[in-house]
């Protein structure tokens, strides 16, 4: 992404770095908001957090998308209540070391993977965008389930706790991403 901005009349000259910083801040705010809003859904309430993680990867690319999610994780590690269930279920590193910690790490990996696939133009068609989103979701759940099994114990119903209840909501998000991304390219052809 390159921007050419007229900055002679601004207090702080705009640069690629300052624009990217604004993207990172906006992305972390959007992630925090998406973690807090719950939509009634079956069998568990739906948040749009995984949707936003993948969207950040698609929109920002792998470098800036990864940096945005890393900044979000740093905010949470520092004790800001940006994660779902915080501050009620704890904050900071203690929360991140709990059963959802793997999903949080998966967010970072998924933003990088989907950002990479977007840079390879997978997000230009419904099928490509849906496939890239499915890969991103698979990354999130792979990290999450591995961590959950390690924390809770592999003798527990890890899939029933950490995957199966979320599949209907994730299918809806996958469909939305597959539909929205190619449409966005028609309005913002950019590259």
């Amino acid at each position: 992404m390159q921007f050419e901005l007229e900055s002679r009349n601004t207090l702080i000259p705009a640069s690629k770095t300052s624009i990217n910083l604004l993207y990172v801040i906006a992305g972390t705010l959007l992630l925090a908001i998406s973690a807090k809003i719950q939509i009634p859904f079956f069998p568990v309430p739906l948040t749009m957090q995984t949707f936003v993680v993948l969207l950040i990867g698609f929109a920002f690319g792998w470098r800036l998308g990864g940096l945005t999610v890393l900044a979000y994780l740093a905010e949470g590690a520092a004790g800001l209540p940006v994660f779902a269930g915080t501050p009620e279920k704890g904050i900071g590193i203690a929360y991140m070391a709990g059963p959802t910690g793997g999903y949080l790490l998966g967010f970072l990996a998924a933003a990088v993977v989907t950002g990479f696939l977007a840079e390879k133009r997978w997000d230009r068609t419904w099928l490509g965008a849906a496939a890239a989103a499915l890969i991103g979701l698979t990354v999130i759940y792979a990290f999450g389930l591995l961590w959950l099994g390690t924390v809770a114990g592999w003798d527990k119903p890890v899939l029933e706790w950490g995957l199966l209840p979320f599949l209907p909501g994730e299918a809806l998000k996958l469909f939305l991403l597959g539909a929205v991304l190619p449409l966005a390219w028609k309005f913002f052809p950019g590259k």
Side-chain angles (χ1 to χ4, degrees):
M1 246 186 283
Q2 292 187 4
F3 299 93
E4 294 181 17
L5 301 173
E6 183 63 42
S7 61
R8 290 179 295 188
N9 296 326
T10 60
L11 181 62
I12 301 172
S15 69
K16 184 176 180 184
T17 301
S18 61
I19 296 296
N20 285 346
L21 180 60
L22 289 175
Y23 283 140
V24 169
I25 292 168
T28 62
L29 285 172
L30 192 58
L31 273 169
I33 291 167
S34 71
K36 301 296 181 179
I37 297 173
Q38 292 190 356
I39 302 164
F41 200 74
F42 179 80
V44 294
L46 177 72
T47 71
M48 293 302 283
Q49 199 167 17
T50 54
F51 180 90
V52 171
V53 165
L54 299 178
L55 189 61
I56 286 171
F58 282 122
F60 293 178
W62 76 269
R63 289 176 192 90
L64 189 57
L67 181 62
T68 301
V69 175
L70 187 61
Y72 170 72
L73 296 176
E75 291 169 356
L80 295 175
V82 295
F83 302 136
T86 58
E88 303 83 24
K89 295 181 180 178
I91 57 171
I93 299 293
Y95 178 87
M96 294 176 80
T100 61
Y103 297 96
L104 295 172
L105 291 174
F107 288 173
L108 176 59
V112 169
V113 168
T114 55
F116 176 80
L117 295 173
E119 289 177 12
K120 299 296 181 195
R121 304 173 68 86
W122 281 44
D123 58 344
R124 302 310 201 264
T125 66
W126 185 91
L127 186 59
L134 180 60
I135 292 168
L137 288 171
T138 301
V139 167
I140 292 170
Y141 280 94
F143 274 81
L145 292 171
L146 286 172
W147 186 282
L148 181 60
T150 302
V151 170
W154 290 104
D155 59 327
K156 304 292 191 292
V158 173
L159 290 178
E160 288 82 7
W161 290 352
L163 175 66
L164 298 179
F166 303 100
L167 288 179
E170 298 302 348
L172 175 64
K173 294 176 213 175
L174 189 135
F175 178 79
L176 287 173
L177 281 166
V180 167
L181 292 168
L183 186 61
W185 279 110
K186 290 182 181 183
F187 289 104
F188 305 102
K191 298 179 197 176

